[in-house]
PDB file of all heavy atoms in Angstrom:
ATOM      1  N   GLU A1135       8.023 -30.372  10.289  1.00 97.00           N
ATOM      2  CA  GLU A1135       7.497 -31.285  11.302  1.00 97.00           C
ATOM      3  C   GLU A1135       5.977 -31.130  11.433  1.00 97.00           C
ATOM      4  O   GLU A1135       5.233 -32.101  11.456  1.00 97.00           O
ATOM      5  CB  GLU A1135       8.180 -31.005  12.632  1.00 97.00           C
ATOM      6  CG  GLU A1135       7.848 -32.085  13.638  1.00 97.00           C
ATOM      7  CD  GLU A1135       8.474 -31.792  14.983  1.00 97.00           C
ATOM      8  OE1 GLU A1135       9.574 -31.209  15.029  1.00 97.00           O
ATOM      9  OE2 GLU A1135       7.824 -32.151  15.991  1.00 97.00           O
ATOM     10  N   PHE A1136       5.533 -29.885  11.474  1.00 98.00           N
ATOM     11  CA  PHE A1136       4.105 -29.618  11.660  1.00 98.00           C
ATOM     12  C   PHE A1136       3.271 -30.183  10.506  1.00 98.00           C
ATOM     13  O   PHE A1136       2.208 -30.759  10.710  1.00 98.00           O
ATOM     14  CB  PHE A1136       3.904 -28.105  11.773  1.00 98.00           C
ATOM     15  CG  PHE A1136       2.468 -27.670  11.869  1.00 98.00           C
ATOM     16  CD1 PHE A1136       1.701 -28.001  12.975  1.00 98.00           C
ATOM     17  CD2 PHE A1136       1.885 -26.912  10.861  1.00 98.00           C
ATOM     18  CE1 PHE A1136       0.375 -27.593  13.072  1.00 98.00           C
ATOM     19  CE2 PHE A1136       0.569 -26.498  10.944  1.00 98.00           C
ATOM     20  CZ  PHE A1136      -0.190 -26.847  12.056  1.00 98.00           C
ATOM     21  N   LEU A1137       3.789 -30.023   9.297  1.00 98.00           N
ATOM     22  CA  LEU A1137       3.012 -30.457   8.126  1.00 98.00           C
ATOM     23  C   LEU A1137       3.301 -31.909   7.755  1.00 98.00           C
ATOM     24  O   LEU A1137       2.632 -32.475   6.877  1.00 98.00           O
ATOM     25  CB  LEU A1137       3.308 -29.541   6.928  1.00 98.00           C
ATOM     26  CG  LEU A1137       2.945 -28.063   7.151  1.00 98.00           C
ATOM     27  CD1 LEU A1137       3.514 -27.193   6.044  1.00 98.00           C
ATOM     28  CD2 LEU A1137       1.425 -27.892   7.234  1.00 98.00           C
ATOM     29  N   GLY A1138       4.294 -32.500   8.415  1.00 97.00           N
ATOM     30  CA  GLY A1138       4.650 -33.888   8.107  1.00 97.00           C
ATOM     31  C   GLY A1138       5.144 -34.041   6.678  1.00 97.00           C
ATOM     32  O   GLY A1138       4.849 -35.025   6.011  1.00 97.00           O
ATOM     33  N   LYS A1139       5.897 -33.046   6.198  1.00 95.00           N
ATOM     34  CA  LYS A1139       6.397 -33.093   4.814  1.00 95.00           C
ATOM     35  C   LYS A1139       7.884 -33.402   4.830  1.00 95.00           C
ATOM     36  O   LYS A1139       8.647 -32.742   5.552  1.00 95.00           O
ATOM     37  CB  LYS A1139       6.232 -31.720   4.123  1.00 95.00           C
ATOM     38  CG  LYS A1139       4.825 -31.254   3.909  1.00 95.00           C
ATOM     39  CD  LYS A1139       3.977 -32.203   3.135  1.00 95.00           C
ATOM     40  CE  LYS A1139       4.365 -32.380   1.680  1.00 95.00           C
ATOM     41  NZ  LYS A1139       3.521 -33.390   1.008  1.00 95.00           N
ATOM     42  N   PRO A1140       8.307 -34.377   4.026  1.00 92.00           N
ATOM     43  CA  PRO A1140       9.748 -34.589   3.930  1.00 92.00           C
ATOM     44  C   PRO A1140      10.374 -33.410   3.188  1.00 92.00           C
ATOM     45  O   PRO A1140       9.845 -32.962   2.184  1.00 92.00           O
ATOM     46  CB  PRO A1140       9.870 -35.877   3.095  1.00 92.00           C
ATOM     47  CG  PRO A1140       8.564 -36.026   2.415  1.00 92.00           C
ATOM     48  CD  PRO A1140       7.530 -35.249   3.156  1.00 92.00           C
ATOM     49  N   LEU A1141      11.436 -32.871   3.727  1.00 95.00           N
ATOM     50  CA  LEU A1141      12.105 -31.730   3.067  1.00 95.00           C
ATOM     51  C   LEU A1141      13.595 -32.009   3.099  1.00 95.00           C
ATOM     52  O   LEU A1141      14.189 -32.077   4.178  1.00 95.00           O
ATOM     53  CB  LEU A1141      11.866 -30.443   3.856  1.00 95.00           C
ATOM     54  CG  LEU A1141      10.780 -29.472   3.470  1.00 95.00           C
ATOM     55  CD1 LEU A1141      10.946 -28.175   4.243  1.00 95.00           C
ATOM     56  CD2 LEU A1141      10.763 -29.187   1.969  1.00 95.00           C
ATOM     57  N   SER A1142      14.201 -32.162   1.920  1.00 95.00           N
ATOM     58  CA  SER A1142      15.638 -32.443   1.890  1.00 95.00           C
ATOM     59  C   SER A1142      16.412 -31.179   2.259  1.00 95.00           C
ATOM     60  O   SER A1142      15.878 -30.060   2.199  1.00 95.00           O
ATOM     61  CB  SER A1142      16.028 -32.907   0.486  1.00 95.00           C
ATOM     62  OG  SER A1142      15.786 -31.844  -0.415  1.00 95.00           O
ATOM     63  N   ASP A1143      17.676 -31.370   2.621  1.00 96.00           N
ATOM     64  CA  ASP A1143      18.514 -30.199   2.941  1.00 96.00           C
ATOM     65  C   ASP A1143      18.618 -29.275   1.723  1.00 96.00           C
ATOM     66  O   ASP A1143      18.596 -28.050   1.858  1.00 96.00           O
ATOM     67  CB  ASP A1143      19.926 -30.639   3.360  1.00 96.00           C
ATOM     68  CG  ASP A1143      19.900 -31.317   4.719  1.00 96.00           C
ATOM     69  OD1 ASP A1143      18.854 -31.226   5.402  1.00 96.00           O
ATOM     70  OD2 ASP A1143      20.902 -31.960   5.079  1.00 96.00           O
ATOM     71  N   ASP A1144      18.714 -29.885   0.551  1.00 97.00           N
ATOM     72  CA  ASP A1144      18.786 -29.072  -0.684  1.00 97.00           C
ATOM     73  C   ASP A1144      17.528 -28.230  -0.847  1.00 97.00           C
ATOM     74  O   ASP A1144      17.576 -27.064  -1.232  1.00 97.00           O
ATOM     75  CB  ASP A1144      18.876 -29.976  -1.929  1.00 97.00           C
ATOM     76  CG  ASP A1144      20.278 -30.478  -2.131  1.00 97.00           C
ATOM     77  OD1 ASP A1144      21.148 -30.100  -1.322  1.00 97.00           O
ATOM     78  OD2 ASP A1144      20.479 -31.260  -3.087  1.00 97.00           O
ATOM     79  N   ALA A1145      16.392 -28.880  -0.563  1.00 97.00           N
ATOM     80  CA  ALA A1145      15.112 -28.165  -0.701  1.00 97.00           C
ATOM     81  C   ALA A1145      15.082 -26.993   0.276  1.00 97.00           C
ATOM     82  O   ALA A1145      14.669 -25.881  -0.088  1.00 97.00           O
ATOM     83  CB  ALA A1145      13.949 -29.115  -0.434  1.00 97.00           C
ATOM     84  N   ILE A1146      15.540 -27.246   1.483  1.00 98.00           N
ATOM     85  CA  ILE A1146      15.531 -26.168   2.481  1.00 98.00           C
ATOM     86  C   ILE A1146      16.395 -25.008   1.979  1.00 98.00           C
ATOM     87  O   ILE A1146      15.974 -23.843   2.043  1.00 98.00           O
ATOM     88  CB  ILE A1146      15.997 -26.703   3.861  1.00 98.00           C
ATOM     89  CG1 ILE A1146      14.893 -27.597   4.415  1.00 98.00           C
ATOM     90  CG2 ILE A1146      16.314 -25.547   4.819  1.00 98.00           C
ATOM     91  CD1 ILE A1146      15.130 -28.174   5.774  1.00 98.00           C
ATOM     92  N   GLU A1147      17.538 -25.316   1.430  1.00 97.00           N
ATOM     93  CA  GLU A1147      18.409 -24.245   0.906  1.00 97.00           C
ATOM     94  C   GLU A1147      17.708 -23.460  -0.207  1.00 97.00           C
ATOM     95  O   GLU A1147      17.770 -22.230  -0.260  1.00 97.00           O
ATOM     96  CB  GLU A1147      19.722 -24.837   0.357  1.00 97.00           C
ATOM     97  CG  GLU A1147      20.720 -25.223   1.419  1.00 97.00           C
ATOM     98  CD  GLU A1147      20.834 -24.192   2.543  1.00 97.00           C
ATOM     99  OE1 GLU A1147      21.066 -23.002   2.258  1.00 97.00           O
ATOM    100  OE2 GLU A1147      20.646 -24.566   3.719  1.00 97.00           O
ATOM    101  N   ARG A1148      17.045 -24.202  -1.100  1.00 98.00           N
ATOM    102  CA  ARG A1148      16.356 -23.509  -2.215  1.00 98.00           C
ATOM    103  C   ARG A1148      15.236 -22.603  -1.684  1.00 98.00           C
ATOM    104  O   ARG A1148      15.049 -21.486  -2.171  1.00 98.00           O
ATOM    105  CB  ARG A1148      15.774 -24.535  -3.209  1.00 98.00           C
ATOM    106  CG  ARG A1148      16.797 -25.127  -4.174  1.00 98.00           C
ATOM    107  CD  ARG A1148      16.097 -25.820  -5.343  1.00 98.00           C
ATOM    108  NE  ARG A1148      15.266 -26.944  -4.914  1.00 98.00           N
ATOM    109  CZ  ARG A1148      15.711 -28.189  -4.694  1.00 98.00           C
ATOM    110  NH1 ARG A1148      16.988 -28.474  -4.867  1.00 98.00           N
ATOM    111  NH2 ARG A1148      14.884 -29.143  -4.310  1.00 98.00           N
ATOM    112  N   ILE A1149      14.534 -23.105  -0.680  1.00 98.00           N
ATOM    113  CA  ILE A1149      13.416 -22.301  -0.134  1.00 98.00           C
ATOM    114  C   ILE A1149      13.964 -21.062   0.583  1.00 98.00           C
ATOM    115  O   ILE A1149      13.441 -19.955   0.423  1.00 98.00           O
ATOM    116  CB  ILE A1149      12.525 -23.144   0.812  1.00 98.00           C
ATOM    117  CG1 ILE A1149      11.943 -24.332   0.064  1.00 98.00           C
ATOM    118  CG2 ILE A1149      11.406 -22.289   1.388  1.00 98.00           C
ATOM    119  CD1 ILE A1149      11.164 -25.331   0.928  1.00 98.00           C
ATOM    120  N   VAL A1150      15.038 -21.265   1.342  1.00 98.00           N
ATOM    121  CA  VAL A1150      15.628 -20.112   2.046  1.00 98.00           C
ATOM    122  C   VAL A1150      15.992 -19.030   1.029  1.00 98.00           C
ATOM    123  O   VAL A1150      15.697 -17.837   1.215  1.00 98.00           O
ATOM    124  CB  VAL A1150      16.879 -20.545   2.865  1.00 98.00           C
ATOM    125  CG1 VAL A1150      17.672 -19.330   3.335  1.00 98.00           C
ATOM    126  CG2 VAL A1150      16.461 -21.397   4.059  1.00 98.00           C
ATOM    127  N   THR A1151      16.586 -19.443  -0.078  1.00 98.00           N
ATOM    128  CA  THR A1151      17.016 -18.459  -1.083  1.00 98.00           C
ATOM    129  C   THR A1151      15.815 -17.805  -1.765  1.00 98.00           C
ATOM    130  O   THR A1151      15.723 -16.573  -1.870  1.00 98.00           O
ATOM    131  CB  THR A1151      17.900 -19.148  -2.154  1.00 98.00           C
ATOM    132  OG1 THR A1151      18.986 -19.763  -1.471  1.00 98.00           O
ATOM    133  CG2 THR A1151      18.424 -18.165  -3.181  1.00 98.00           C
ATOM    134  N   GLN A1152      14.863 -18.634  -2.206  1.00 98.00           N
ATOM    135  CA  GLN A1152      13.729 -18.095  -2.973  1.00 98.00           C
ATOM    136  C   GLN A1152      12.877 -17.137  -2.146  1.00 98.00           C
ATOM    137  O   GLN A1152      12.277 -16.213  -2.694  1.00 98.00           O
ATOM    138  CB  GLN A1152      12.864 -19.253  -3.499  1.00 98.00           C
ATOM    139  CG  GLN A1152      11.589 -18.838  -4.203  1.00 98.00           C
ATOM    140  CD  GLN A1152      11.857 -17.936  -5.412  1.00 98.00           C
ATOM    141  OE1 GLN A1152      12.913 -18.019  -6.048  1.00 98.00           O
ATOM    142  NE2 GLN A1152      10.906 -17.061  -5.718  1.00 98.00           N
ATOM    143  N   THR A1153      12.822 -17.366  -0.833  1.00 98.00           N
ATOM    144  CA  THR A1153      11.909 -16.561  -0.014  1.00 98.00           C
ATOM    145  C   THR A1153      12.579 -15.330   0.595  1.00 98.00           C
ATOM    146  O   THR A1153      11.961 -14.638   1.408  1.00 98.00           O
ATOM    147  CB  THR A1153      11.265 -17.413   1.119  1.00 98.00           C
ATOM    148  OG1 THR A1153      12.314 -17.957   1.926  1.00 98.00           O
ATOM    149  CG2 THR A1153      10.431 -18.540   0.540  1.00 98.00           C
ATOM    150  N   LYS A1154      13.816 -15.091   0.185  1.00 98.00           N
ATOM    151  CA  LYS A1154      14.450 -13.840   0.632  1.00 98.00           C
ATOM    152  C   LYS A1154      13.719 -12.671  -0.020  1.00 98.00           C
ATOM    153  O   LYS A1154      13.272 -12.768  -1.170  1.00 98.00           O
ATOM    154  CB  LYS A1154      15.932 -13.816   0.226  1.00 98.00           C
ATOM    155  CG  LYS A1154      16.797 -14.680   1.127  1.00 98.00           C
ATOM    156  CD  LYS A1154      18.268 -14.429   0.853  1.00 98.00           C
ATOM    157  CE  LYS A1154      19.168 -15.443   1.539  1.00 98.00           C
ATOM    158  NZ  LYS A1154      19.010 -15.618   2.960  1.00 98.00           N
ATOM    159  N   PHE A1155      13.649 -11.578   0.725  1.00 98.00           N
ATOM    160  CA  PHE A1155      12.875 -10.414   0.296  1.00 98.00           C
ATOM    161  C   PHE A1155      13.225  -9.990  -1.136  1.00 98.00           C
ATOM    162  O   PHE A1155      12.348  -9.820  -1.982  1.00 98.00           O
ATOM    163  CB  PHE A1155      13.116  -9.270   1.283  1.00 98.00           C
ATOM    164  CG  PHE A1155      12.368  -8.021   0.943  1.00 98.00           C
ATOM    165  CD1 PHE A1155      11.004  -7.932   1.135  1.00 98.00           C
ATOM    166  CD2 PHE A1155      13.033  -6.919   0.424  1.00 98.00           C
ATOM    167  CE1 PHE A1155      10.301  -6.779   0.816  1.00 98.00           C
ATOM    168  CE2 PHE A1155      12.345  -5.764   0.105  1.00 98.00           C
ATOM    169  CZ  PHE A1155      10.975  -5.693   0.301  1.00 98.00           C
TER     170      PHE A1155
END
Side-chain angles (χ1 to χ4, degrees):
E1135 190 182 327
F1136 176 66
L1137 299 169
K1139 295 304 292 177
L1141 263 191
S1142 63
D1143 290 348
D1144 280 359
I1146 289 182
E1147 283 318 306
R1148 281 195 298 276
I1149 300 174
V1150 167
T1151 303
Q1152 175 59 29
T1153 58
K1154 283 190 191 306
F1155 180 73

